[in-house]
Amino acid sequence: MSGLCREVITLQLGHYSNFVGTHWWNLQDASLSYDPETPQGEIQSDVMFREGQTLGGHVTYTPRLIAMDLKGSLRTLRQEGSLYDAGKDTSAVTWEGSLMMHKESPPAKNSFLEDLDKLDKGEILAEVDFSSSSQPQCSGSVSVDTVNSRLAQVQKGYRLEGSVKVWSDFLRIHLHPRTISVIHQYNHDGEAHRLEAFGQGEALLQGSVLEELEDKLHFFVEECDYLQGFQVLCDLADGFAGLGSKVTEMLQDTYGGRGILTWGLAPVSHRNSTPMKDLYHLLNCTLGTVHLTNHSSFFCPLTLRGGLGRRPSSPTAFPYLNYDPSLWYHSSSVLALALDALTVPYRLRNNSVPMWQVADTLAVSGRKVVAAYGAIPFPMMHGSSLPDALSACTDALPWKPLSACSEPGDGRCYSQWATLKGFEGQRLISSLAPGIKPPTPLHSLHSGEDVLASYIRSFYPTAPLALQMVSTPSKLTPPFPQIFSQSLDAQGFLQSQAPPPGLPASAVSSLPVLTSLQSGPALDTWLSELYRSATAFDIRRVASSFLSQGPEMGDYQEALEQLRLLARCYRDDSGGVMRSSSEEDDDD
């Protein structure tokens, strides 16, 4: 289908979700073109972005986004943004007596934000040679286009690892004034008034917090012609899990029939963690998984942790990434790259698949929890073909767990959705001369879809498989961290030879990514382990304070029982044939 734009509204609930979301929106922004002469891309940006106009008449293009975070989490970012700034209104000042001003110094901006401010004002442009620019500017979007095109050309090697404190420290786009919602009841920093428990988050969605959210939702929904649903990024390990459960419940009740795709996000580690805080994280993840699943079309945990329990295994490692798992700035960038591919199906200009259909394909028979996997980057040699790349991975699939859920390796899977993004300029089929015997069966196929499907089915021969292939890569512009192996060239493809010692490697400016969403027996293991971890202790004795603001003990025990039954939905002990519930009950 082409022409019809099915809009999506994104909600980001929590600090780590905003880290991932900031990288994700930066990736989307890097792919935008403001040149009317440029052919339309494969991704329809209007699905996620909205067009508006400033008070000065300038056209704006901002995310259709509601981002919620705590007091003190914005640092240099103004809650209302700067696009629609009408200046300070001093007409209300009527005091005629003496005044004493105490002005607090604003937080210092890092080098990237300082350059962004200069570009916004039209400064420092003369410092760089822009004669090679191929993007003419469009009237009405001069300021936005100037920042995007100039920043992409500067390609300055920002090293923000030591200066990123919050997600706004690397945000490169303007936000709409109705986007940011600050929860003033809880602090982002410090030890007091922290949003640490599920019940605290549940109790938040009332009064002014609820009214503000409803107002923002109404604003974004009203301007949509064909709203297909909501993309929810929600922190899983803190009190935002409770808030997210109430938000998704409200979306389900108010906008029934729309897709609600929820991504539960958890960092590899937390600063200043303690054994008790780790216990809280486990309990939040447990309750969040149950309740977010209940109120969503599907629920997918996204994390590079080795598990959501208190003793996880090593973080997920990728052969061509050199990221620091302890840095949220790094780990969130990896998850954002994965999310850029995972969300492709419902963002395409042509042949898009609506959210509800994606969910129905994966959430079969009530199994609404899905696991994500990703090859970041997809290991493809520059100048080779897709059959060549996949033939080099015959022993094991190239993707790694993105949901702390290992693949079973036995070919059992109930449904799967795979997306390959970013093979631009590479051959999808073999180009062997006539009469030459194909080295593998993949080299004899006649379309990229057939090649990828045949390869995946060699590992999952009986699983229903949906495929999406998009040639446009994820475009990496400052301040995306350069966490890539020197084995990659500027386009993210493998080089036949690494750069000579002493020569700096070129910055990677785009990346091919292969992702998979799966529903299968592996989730039985994952959910059962979560259940065992949460029931391994008496919460009333070990962490009674967790329940002080809810849920009630009976509701908590009911949630654990739901988790046990949810895990059993994925159980398959009969060679691929699901057992009936009565047969399963006989085992209990």
Side-chain angles (χ1 to χ4, degrees):
M1 176 177 288
S2 62
L4 180 64
C5 176
R6 295 189 178 97
E7 300 95 343
V8 171
I9 296 173
T10 301
L11 291 92
Q12 294 167 193
L13 312 176
H15 204 62
Y16 191 64
S17 292
N18 281 312
F19 260 77
V20 176
T22 297
H23 276 304
W24 191 84
W25 288 108
N26 285 350
L27 290 172
Q28 309 318 305
D29 177 69
S31 298
L32 292 178
S33 173
Y34 297 89
D35 182 1
E37 304 301 320
T38 301
Q40 292 183 326
E42 296 168 286
I43 302 296
Q44 189 169 20
S45 55
D46 288 344
V47 171
M48 310 304 302
F49 285 83
R50 60 176 299 280
E51 188 174 290
Q53 199 171 55
T54 67
L55 296 174
H58 291 278
V59 174
T60 62
Y61 210 47
T62 53
R64 197 176 289 109
L65 166 68
I66 299 171
M68 302 183 76
D69 214 327
L70 305 178
K71 183 172 64 175
S73 63
L74 301 183
R75 278 175 57 87
T76 62
L77 181 66
R78 294 168 54 191
Q79 182 174 347
E80 69 277 8
S82 57
L83 276 182
Y84 299 84
D85 188 6
K88 294 183 178 179
D89 182 10
T90 59
S91 60
V93 178
T94 58
W95 175 256
E96 296 180 357
S98 60
L99 294 173
M100 181 175 291
M101 299 284 290
H102 295 275
K103 190 173 182 180
E104 184 180 1
S105 299
K109 292 188 175 184
N110 59 41
S111 58
F112 166 71
L113 293 179
E114 288 177 347
D115 283 355
L116 205 60
D117 284 345
K118 292 176 182 178
L119 286 168
D120 258 333
K121 298 172 184 175
E123 301 175 17
I124 79 164
L125 300 185
E127 297 179 17
V128 184
D129 179 13
F130 294 114
S131 60
S132 61
S133 174
S134 60
Q135 291 191 356
Q137 293 181 194
C138 309
S139 62
S141 61
V142 174
S143 62
V144 178
D145 184 43
T146 297
V147 173
N148 289 343
S149 61
R150 299 321 194 206
L151 192 59
Q153 292 173 64
V154 171
Q155 285 296 332
K156 182 175 177 180
Y158 297 99
R159 300 296 179 189
L160 303 182
E161 282 76 5
S163 61
V164 167
K165 308 297 183 187
V166 297
W167 51 271
S168 60
D169 286 339
F170 58 96
L171 177 71
R172 59 169 274 168
I173 60 174
H174 287 293
L175 301 176
H176 190 272
R178 291 182 186 260
T179 281
I180 297 176
S181 180
V182 175
I183 298 170
H184 293 279
Q185 292 93 319
Y186 293 100
N187 295 324
H188 168 65
D189 281 321
E191 289 299 319
H193 304 292
R194 300 301 300 271
L195 186 60
E196 294 180 319
F198 185 89
Q200 293 174 299
E202 275 194 313
L204 268 176
L205 201 63
Q206 56 184 314
S208 61
V209 175
L210 176 60
E211 291 173 7
E212 184 179 356
L213 177 60
E214 289 178 330
D215 177 66
K216 293 177 185 296
L217 277 171
H218 181 75
F219 172 80
F220 287 115
V221 169
E222 281 297 300
E223 61 182 16
C224 294
D225 294 322
Y226 302 98
L227 176 66
Q228 63 170 305
F230 303 88
Q231 175 177 276
V232 181
L233 281 64
C234 181
D235 280 14
L236 204 54
D238 57 24
F240 275 102
L243 177 62
S245 73
K246 287 299 184 182
V247 170
T248 50
E249 182 180 13
M250 183 190 73
L251 294 176
Q252 188 181 53
D253 292 342
T254 309
Y255 304 99
R258 312 292 186 186
I260 304 173
L261 305 191
T262 301
W263 311 88
L265 292 153
V268 174
S269 59
H270 294 80
R271 284 185 306 158
N272 305 320
S273 195
T274 64
M276 182 56 70
K277 289 181 179 179
D278 288 342
L279 191 61
Y280 270 47
H281 297 156
L282 166 66
L283 295 170
N284 289 323
C285 288
T286 301
L287 294 173
T289 295
V290 172
H291 290 280
L292 291 169
T293 299
N294 287 341
H295 306 311
S296 304
S297 305
F298 80 44
F299 169 75
C300 179
L302 284 180
T303 183
L304 299 179
R305 280 174 64 94
L308 294 182
R310 288 186 288 170
R311 298 176 182 84
S313 55
S314 300
T316 302
F318 300 86
Y320 302 106
L321 295 185
N322 302 315
Y323 80 101
D324 183 344
S326 66
L327 287 180
W328 285 22
Y329 174 56
H330 277 191
S331 64
S332 61
S333 72
V334 178
L335 293 179
L337 278 170
L339 201 60
D340 192 30
L342 292 167
T343 58
V344 156
Y346 53 86
R347 297 191 291 124
L348 288 173
R349 187 176 303 279
N350 300 306
N351 302 315
S352 67
V353 183
M355 282 179 149
W356 64 264
Q357 190 173 334
V358 174
D360 284 354
T361 301
L362 290 165
V364 180
S365 301
R367 295 188 289 264
K368 293 199 294 181
V369 181
V370 298
Y373 304 87
I376 307 171
F378 174 60
M380 192 172 187
M381 190 72 68
H382 185 85
S384 68
S385 67
L386 183 59
D388 293 335
L390 295 174
S391 297
C393 306
T394 54
D395 294 334
L397 287 153
W399 54 54
K400 305 294 182 182
L402 298 173
S403 301
C405 180
S406 299
E407 283 186 288
D410 56 8
R412 295 183 299 160
C413 183
Y414 306 135
S415 58
Q416 181 170 190
W417 199 300
T419 302
L420 176 59
K421 187 177 190 294
F423 51 83
E424 194 171 61
Q426 307 302 302
R427 289 177 286 113
L428 294 181
I429 59 175
S430 177
S431 57
L432 294 174
I436 302 296
K437 182 181 178 181
T440 72
L442 296 178
H443 288 78
S444 64
L445 300 175
H446 301 293
S447 75
E449 288 81 1
D450 287 344
V451 171
L452 184 56
S454 177
Y455 171 77
I456 294 176
R457 286 196 175 109
S458 69
F459 292 91
Y460 293 99
T462 61
L465 173 65
L467 281 179
Q468 213 89 44
M469 299 184 69
V470 177
S471 67
T472 308
S474 297
K475 295 183 179 178
L476 313 179
T477 54
F480 197 92
Q482 286 295 316
I483 53 176
F484 307 102
S485 163
Q486 291 193 351
S487 301
L488 302 181
D489 64 12
Q491 286 73 48
F493 296 109
L494 295 175
Q495 304 182 85
S496 55
Q497 289 184 333
L503 284 181
S506 58
V508 176
S509 59
S510 63
L511 208 72
V513 174
L514 173 65
T515 59
S516 170
L517 285 171
Q518 296 181 19
S519 172
L523 282 157
D524 172 27
T525 305
W526 185 86
L527 292 165
S528 296
E529 178 58 33
L530 196 59
Y531 173 78
R532 282 192 293 270
S533 297
T535 55
F537 55 89
D538 183 350
I539 190 172
R540 288 167 293 194
R541 184 176 60 84
V542 178
S544 59
S545 58
F546 182 84
L547 300 176
S548 60
Q549 297 193 44
E552 298 290 337
M553 189 62 196
D555 295 332
Y556 173 73
Q557 291 173 334
E558 181 182 346
L560 291 181
E561 177 63 10
Q562 288 183 42
L563 180 62
R564 187 184 70 84
L565 295 175
L566 184 61
R568 203 171 65 180
C569 287
Y570 294 86
R571 192 168 303 163
D572 177 7
D573 299 327
S574 52
V577 179
M578 288 297 295
R579 300 183 300 166
S580 69
S581 58
S582 60
E583 290 174 317
E584 290 177 334
D585 289 340
D586 291 340
D587 290 348
D588 294 337

